Structure formats: C-alpha cells, structure tokens
C-alpha cells in the first residue's frame, strides 16, 4: 500500500513537567492509512506524547496538526469535531465492569443518540464479530473474559464510531507472545477492512513487528529513529530496545 497524505503532523514539540524536559523539539508525520508506532522504553515519554495528541495535556512549545489543523490553537468548541474522528483503545481496556460486552461496545454510538437501540446492538454485534470474539461473548461481562478478549472488546468499542484515526495504547502488553502475535494479525486485518489510520504506543516492537509500517523511537528526549523496520536494520542505529532477545527476534536475528 502506498501512502501520501499526512494526517498528523507534529512539529518542534517540546514537553516539560516543571523544569524536567521530556521531549525536546521533536517532529514527525503520520500518513493516512498507515499503521504507525510510537516506540520507546519505559519513561521515554510515549504516554505524554499520546496525551499531547488527544487534547489531554498541552505541550510546552510546538505544534500538532490533525488533518492540517493545529489542534492546540483551535477554539475549544471546534475541538470536538476533530476528537469525534478519533478513537482510543486504552491500555487496560477500560471496559465498564457492570455492563455486558454488547453494551460496552455499543456505548460510544448510544451516547451519540443518533441510532435506535436495535441499530446500536446490530452494529455492536458486527464489530464483536470483526474483532474475532465469539458471538456469545456479547452477553458476557468483562470479568468473564480473558485478557486478550478484553482487548478485543475494547478494540470493537473503539471501532464502532468508524474513526479516521485510531490510537492504541500498549495494545499487546500483558498478552502472552502467541496472543500478541494474533492481535498483531488482527490489527493488520482491521486496517484492510476499515479506512483507519492506526497509531500505537508500545515498548515492545516484537509484538507489532508484522503490522507496523513505520515508527518513531523515543530515547533521551529525542526521536533517535523514524522509519520502517527494514530501514532500521540498514541504518545501524543501536538502541537498548533491540538488545534483548525479543528485540533481536523483531529484527530477524
Ligand atoms: N504528571 C506527571 N508529572 C511529572 N512527571 C511525569 C508526569 N507524567 C509522567 N512524568 C514523567 O515523565 C516521563 C515520561 O513519562 P511517560 O510519558 O509516562 O513515559 P512512557 O509512557 O514512555 O513510559 C517519566 O519520567 C515520568 O516519570
Ligand atoms: Mg506509558
């Protein structure tokens, strides 16, 4: 697949907590329909960057553009229009424990108030199927699901609004390697059947190596690499993230 249009542009972004700098003047772009990863070790600023992009935390300096529009410069009333086109799957699923999977998945649509209860249920069942959950899981409660199934349900909930941009926070963390690989395949499959640009935050390149088109690597406040896995292999960039066994597997060593 070839990509051309930039859907997100981050320019000269710096973030700080008090006088501690987390990102120093970083810039990168995400192209439409891409599966893009934000990679880095623990504490490298991945979640902070995600919060900057989701209007949850204002950067110290710099610009973040979605669809060509600088989001932090937008009037608050206009932000909703942009946010409505984005979905996020939170790290721990964040499902409501007192609601069935069906109601959890349907909730974002039900909240919009534009669809009948029956339509919401039909769409929820559609997405429950698309993320590979068995039909009967729709009527289960989150505590009856395995970790991997919770992540799938959470993914279905993020997809039901047909987002243009889907953010995934540590989508495979906590899964065993086999489930992580299966989830990786699912992401790839979903990209084929939706028109969504996918951005995932992860500390584990191995678990997403087959689905990701390009990624940035955060280290020491900077982006030390931006590109594809293939490009990384030939770049000679050495980073702690690839020195472990899993990292080496990701690089095919
Ligand atoms: N609200 C906060 N106040 C102060 N420091 C923070 C806050 N949130 C995160 N940090 C610090 O900023 C750094 C980056 O954190 P974070 O973005 O969560 O990294 P990651 O998601 O890559 O693990 C860490 O050193 C963390 O301790
Ligand atoms: Mg984090």
């Amino acid at each position: 697949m070839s990509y051309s249009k930039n859907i997100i542009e981050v320019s000269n972004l710096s973030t700080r907590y008090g006088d501690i700098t987390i990102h120093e003047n970083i810039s990168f772009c995400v192209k439409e329909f891409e599966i893009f990863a934000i990679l880095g070790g623990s504490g490298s600023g991945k979640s902070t960057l995600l919060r900057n992009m989701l209007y949850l935390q204002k950067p110290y300096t710099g610009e973040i553009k979605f669809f060509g529009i600088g989001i932090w410069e937008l009037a608050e009333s206009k932000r909703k229009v942009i946010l409505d086109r984005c979905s996020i799957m939170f790290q721990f699923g964040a499902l409501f424990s007192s609601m069935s999977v069906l109601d959890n998945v349907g909730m974002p649509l039900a909240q919009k108030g534009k669809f009948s209860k029956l339509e919401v249920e039909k769409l929820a069942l559609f997405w429950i199927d698309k993320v590979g959950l068995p039909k009967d899981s729709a009527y289960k409660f989150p505590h009856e699901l395995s970790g991997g199934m919770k992540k799938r349900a959470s993914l279905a909930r993020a997809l039901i609004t047909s987002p243009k941009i889907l953010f995934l926070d540590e989508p495979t963390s906590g899964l065993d390697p086999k489930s992580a690989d299966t989830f990786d395949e699912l992401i790839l499959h979903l990209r084929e059947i939706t028109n969504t640009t996918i951005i995932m935050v992860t500390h584990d390149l191995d678990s997403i190596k087959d689905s990701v088109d390009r990624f940035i690597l955060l280290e020491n406040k900077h982006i030390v690499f931006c590109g594809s896995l293939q490009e990384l292999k030939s770049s000679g960039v050495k980073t702690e993230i690839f020195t472990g066994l899993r990292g080496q597997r990701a690089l095919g060593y």
Side-chain angles (χ1 to χ4, degrees):
M1 203 180 293
S2 67
Y3 314 96
S4 48
K5 215 165 90 192
N6 285 335
I7 201 160
I8 296 181
E9 294 167 87
V10 173
S11 318
N12 306 315
L13 187 89
S14 295
T15 49
R16 290 182 181 180
Y17 292 111
D19 48 13
I20 298 174
T21 301
I22 307 298
H23 306 113
E24 196 173 304
N25 224 16
I26 62 171
S27 303
F28 63 96
C29 295
V30 180
K31 297 181 173 126
E32 199 169 16
F33 309 129
E34 200 167 41
I35 299 181
F36 189 90
I38 296 170
L39 209 75
S42 177
S44 59
K46 304 181 296 294
S47 297
T48 303
L49 186 54
L50 196 64
R51 286 199 293 274
N52 293 156
M53 297 203 283
L54 288 166
Y55 285 120
L56 297 171
Q57 187 177 332
K58 197 175 188 331
Y60 183 66
T61 55
E63 191 175 50
I64 300 176
K65 283 186 176 174
F66 280 19
F67 317 105
I69 301 164
I71 60 168
W72 282 103
E73 286 77 57
L74 264 185
E76 208 146 326
S77 58
K78 302 227 169 93
R79 289 184 181 176
K80 199 179 164 321
V81 181
I82 303 267
L83 274 185
D84 268 358
R85 298 165 80 180
C86 303
S87 271
I88 175 162
M89 183 188 120
F90 291 102
Q91 182 165 357
F92 299 105
L95 298 170
F96 291 100
S97 55
S98 62
M99 285 162 73
S100 69
V101 170
L102 186 73
D103 289 342
N104 263 292
V105 173
M107 197 188 59
L109 273 194
Q111 277 181 337
K112 285 186 190 283
K114 289 184 191 157
F115 299 88
S116 72
K117 194 169 181 314
L118 200 68
E119 283 169 323
V120 170
E121 283 189 8
K122 251 171 102 173
L123 281 163
L125 285 171
F126 172 83
W127 284 108
I128 285 168
D129 178 56
K130 282 289 166 258
V131 299
L133 284 173
K135 274 203 171 60
D136 67 339
S137 59
Y139 305 99
K140 291 190 170 157
F141 287 84
H143 73 268
E144 297 174 275
L145 305 182
S146 70
M149 288 168 89
K150 275 186 204 145
K151 292 209 187 244
R152 282 170 194 260
S154 169
L155 188 58
R157 184 174 63 181
L159 285 166
I160 199 166
T161 51
S162 303
K164 281 296 288 174
I165 308 177
L166 173 65
F167 292 92
L168 308 174
D169 191 5
E170 299 276 3
T172 53
S173 79
L175 299 183
D176 61 83
K178 189 162 173 293
S179 307
D181 282 350
T182 318
F183 201 86
D184 195 25
E185 283 162 26
L186 172 64
I187 301 284
L188 209 51
H189 168 67
L190 289 172
R191 197 265 301 274
E192 299 302 316
I193 62 166
T194 64
N195 280 329
T196 308
T197 303
I198 299 173
I199 300 173
M200 46 181 142
V201 164
T202 182
H203 66 279
D204 184 5
L205 177 67
D206 193 29
S207 60
I208 54 156
K209 65 182 187 308
D210 294 322
S211 60
V212 70
D213 293 306
R214 290 190 312 132
F215 59 91
I216 55 170
L217 189 56
L218 289 173
E219 233 170 71
N220 265 331
K221 306 174 202 161
H222 295 106
I223 293 175
V224 294
F225 176 80
C226 176
S228 66
L229 199 53
Q230 203 55 42
E231 286 162 354
L232 179 80
K233 284 185 200 177
S234 47
S235 72
V237 170
K238 288 271 179 288
T239 150
E240 59 202 43
I241 234 174
F242 302 113
T243 51
L245 205 60
R246 289 171 69 69
Q248 294 198 1
R249 203 184 96 176
L251 287 173
Y253 297 146

